Amino acid sequence: MATQAAVNPEEGSFFGDLAGMFSVFIDPQDTAKRIFHKWFWVGPIILGAIVIFVYSQMLLPAVEHVMQVNPPPGVTPEAVPRIMGIQRAFTYASPLIGIIFTAIGALILWGISSVLDIKATFRTLFSLVAVTGLIKLLDLIAGLIIVRAKGDDISTMAALRPTIGLDLFVGEGTNKLLAALLNFFSIPTLWQIAVMGLVFSYAFKVSKGKAFTAIAPYWLVFLLFAVAGAMMQK
């Protein structure tokens, strides 16, 4: 028999949930109750989309500067304006891309939950991924502050994603693959992993070990994407 959810679905107050979504930073048990609310996912998705869009727009000047002073191999100065036009268009699509990745994450969790015989709906897991994603936004904000503070000192694409992960504790000569792995695990990411596991455990009334087992494939997929992207950076 499938494991029964610990919290019964409730409608909840929409405006109460807008304020309550911030409990994810300090109260996983409260968040575990709210992810069952029908429209709880709306607030985190809207806030996430706004932050991602603003981040993308504010990063554009630094991207253009790097493209001018140190373009990627094969990119001519004449091609830079066209590439930047594509980049600007991409910033408008970035919130939608964020929503798509949230849905992919929820699908991964849904599939693993079925394998582990945990009763969970896609909507509830979508809310879980969306609300815990608010923690990850701290990475974007911190990275943007660092990039904007450096200004014209930024000269590589890799520098547009400053080191704020565990690779802070290793030297510059560290193996690129190892550095990419360590860079993925920033303080907000570790925080997000911990909170996601706890919320999953409280919500679906499973042990913490089973909860973290369930979310492990989700993080493995995004770790592989992040490492692949870092390895391709100049």
Side-chain angles (χ1 to χ4, degrees):
M1 180 179 293
T3 304
Q4 296 298 311
V7 185
N8 292 324
E10 301 174 5
E11 287 301 320
S13 163
F14 179 73
F15 292 104
D17 281 343
L18 283 179
M21 65 182 174
F22 295 104
S23 67
V24 71
F25 292 96
I26 56 173
D27 192 348
Q29 287 182 308
D30 181 69
T31 302
K33 299 174 184 177
R34 293 181 183 276
I35 63 172
F36 289 93
H37 295 177
K38 187 174 182 180
W39 302 108
F40 179 63
W41 57 271
V42 175
I45 285 294
I46 291 175
L47 179 58
I50 292 171
V51 172
I52 291 172
F53 176 74
V54 172
Y55 166 83
S56 300
Q57 288 288 324
M58 294 187 70
L59 195 64
L60 274 178
V63 174
E64 186 166 15
H65 171 72
V66 171
M67 291 293 292
Q68 290 172 344
V69 301
N70 189 18
V75 176
T76 64
E78 293 76 18
V80 171
R82 177 173 56 83
I83 294 174
M84 286 308 303
I86 296 173
Q87 185 71 29
R88 289 188 181 89
F90 180 79
T91 64
Y92 290 97
S94 58
L96 177 59
I97 294 171
I99 293 172
I100 290 172
F101 273 93
T102 300
I104 292 172
L107 280 172
I108 294 171
L109 291 179
W110 195 23
I112 299 300
S113 295
S114 297
V115 171
L116 296 178
D117 201 25
I118 299 172
K119 186 178 180 181
T121 65
F122 173 80
R123 190 194 73 208
T124 303
L125 294 171
F126 186 81
S127 291
L128 170 63
V129 176
V131 73
T132 54
L134 295 181
I135 300 173
K136 184 62 177 176
L137 295 180
L138 298 178
D139 259 343
L140 296 184
I141 295 170
L144 181 61
I145 291 172
I146 293 172
V147 169
R148 299 280 289 189
K150 288 185 176 180
D152 290 343
D153 290 338
I154 299 289
S155 60
T156 65
M157 288 296 176
L160 294 173
R161 296 181 60 84
T163 297
I164 50 180
L166 297 181
D167 52 332
L168 278 170
F169 302 103
V170 298
E172 291 185 4
T174 304
N175 175 273
K176 193 173 182 180
L177 175 59
L178 176 60
L181 286 169
L182 292 174
N183 180 259
F184 178 79
F185 293 102
S186 63
I187 292 176
T189 298
L190 293 172
W191 186 1
Q192 184 183 3
I193 293 172
V195 171
M196 181 180 284
L198 291 174
V199 172
F200 195 102
S201 175
Y202 295 139
F204 304 111
K205 202 177 180 181
V206 297
S207 68
K208 292 179 176 60
K210 191 170 186 178
F212 281 98
T213 298
I215 70 171
Y218 167 94
W219 286 104
L220 179 60
V221 168
F222 288 102
L223 171 62
L224 292 175
F225 272 108
V227 170
M231 294 292 290
M232 291 187 292
Q233 283 182 340
K234 183 180 175 181

